[in-house]
Amino acid sequence: EAQVTQNPRYLITVTGKKLTVTCSQNMNHEYMSWYRQDPGLGLRQIYYSMNVEVTDKGDVPEGYKVSRKEKRNFPLILESPSPNQTSLYFCASSSRQGIQETQYFGPGTRLLVL
Amino acid sequence: AQKVTQAQTEISVVEKEDVTLDCVYETRDTTYYLFWYKQPPSGELVFLIRRNSFDEQNEISGRYSWNFQKSTSSFNFTITASQVVDSAVYFCALTPTPGGSGGGADGLTFGKGTHLIIQP
């Protein structure tokens, strides 16, 4: 089954404690990205990756890092989380072959930073 | 820069009524894709439709229909004979096609969403 998986689904942490949210897709997609969703703001892109070892900032990259060492994985790293990073996070992937394909979203990760 | 506006923050209707969710967009790209996603209370994002900017044909899928009008930069979504299960937050989104001239990140630009409440 084609899917995007994220782990963990729920996470409570404290300010300053480094954390990583993993994202993996099994569709051999080139393009992957991270979004955060906040009430009243919709979804905003954090980082994206066009392919392995190619990443770039989205609209709200401050406080986040990403890496793309393998095509299937695109982890989101919060080196020193702060309460304003409490949010719902979505990972997404899509093919970049030919026309723009639909983005497939993971189930979301709810993060609470105390 | 791209922008998607969903002016209706929340809509509440009684079951079986028809309801239209508005979406207006701005982009410098000449070619682009428009999407609608549904987010039910469980939180996942469910893909509903993708529309290429070249294709202005309206589309109907069961009780769902979409009206794309390039002249007014709108991509409205209508649910006919609404049901309680349609209650969700609905997002309209925009992305340039690869190589589009508008620049910026290649991801989706989302509207802020419309919370649709269908009352029994």
Side-chain angles (χ1 to χ4, degrees):
Chain A
E1 178 191 355
Q3 60 181 355
V4 178
T5 57
Q6 294 179 227
N7 282 292
R9 295 289 312 279
Y10 304 91
L11 180 60
I12 301 174
T13 189
V14 296
T15 298
K17 186 176 181 181
K18 181 179 178 180
L19 66 91
T20 298
V21 184
T22 64
C23 173
S24 183
Q25 50 93 5
N26 62 1
M27 296 167 278
N28 201 36
H29 283 167
E30 296 80 15
Y31 182 88
M32 298 185 74
S33 62
W34 277 101
Y35 297 85
R36 61 177 287 174
Q37 182 181 6
D38 302 290
L41 297 177
L43 285 87
R44 296 175 293 168
Q45 191 180 49
I46 303 171
Y47 267 94
Y48 66 98
S49 170
M50 303 285 281
N51 214 323
V52 175
E53 302 292 0
V54 181
T55 63
D56 209 344
K57 296 177 180 179
D59 298 319
V60 287
E62 293 76 23
Y64 304 94
K65 286 175 58 178
V66 293
S67 69
R68 188 87 182 275
K69 293 183 171 56
E70 305 167 282
K71 199 171 188 180
R72 63 181 294 125
N73 295 324
F74 190 45
L76 179 68
I77 303 158
L78 284 72
E79 294 271 5
S80 182
S82 61
N84 64 12
Q85 292 178 297
T86 292
S87 187
L88 175 59
Y89 292 87
F90 288 98
C91 179
S93 75
S94 66
S95 171
R96 295 287 292 174
Q97 298 299 323
I99 63 172
Q100 182 77 323
E101 294 291 336
T102 301
Q103 290 204 22
Y104 293 82
F105 284 84
T109 295
R110 291 191 180 275
L111 172 64
L112 173 61
V113 183
L114 301 173
Chain B
Q2 302 177 141
K3 184 178 180 182
V4 176
T5 301
Q6 294 179 256
Q8 304 150 310
T9 304
E10 183 174 291
I11 300 174
S12 181
V13 300
V14 177
E15 197 172 21
K16 297 183 183 177
E17 288 185 11
D18 299 347
V19 59
T20 295
L21 309 182
D22 298 333
C23 173
V24 175
Y25 62 92
E26 298 173 27
T27 181
R28 289 179 294 169
D29 288 278
T30 53
T31 59
Y32 47 89
Y33 280 91
L34 293 160
F35 298 81
W36 277 94
Y37 285 88
K38 173 182 180 180
Q39 187 176 44
S42 51
E44 74 273 21
L45 285 165
V46 178
F47 166 77
L48 295 178
I49 190 171
R50 179 187 71 197
R51 172 62 71 213
N52 186 316
S53 56
F54 290 136
D55 182 2
E56 290 196 63
Q57 278 190 325
N58 290 332
E59 181 152 342
I60 298 174
S61 176
R63 297 183 296 106
Y64 295 170
S65 62
W66 290 269
N67 181 8
F68 175 36
Q69 294 196 344
K70 205 168 182 178
S71 60
T72 56
S73 297
S74 65
F75 186 42
N76 296 337
F77 172 34
T78 297
I79 301 175
T80 302
S82 60
Q83 300 176 2
V84 173
V85 293
D86 295 327
S87 297
V89 180
Y90 290 86
F91 291 98
C92 180
L94 167 72
T95 187
T97 52
S101 58
D106 282 343
L108 287 164
T109 297
F110 282 84
K112 295 182 179 180
T114 297
H115 184 198
L116 177 63
I117 301 168
I118 310 297
Q119 299 177 19

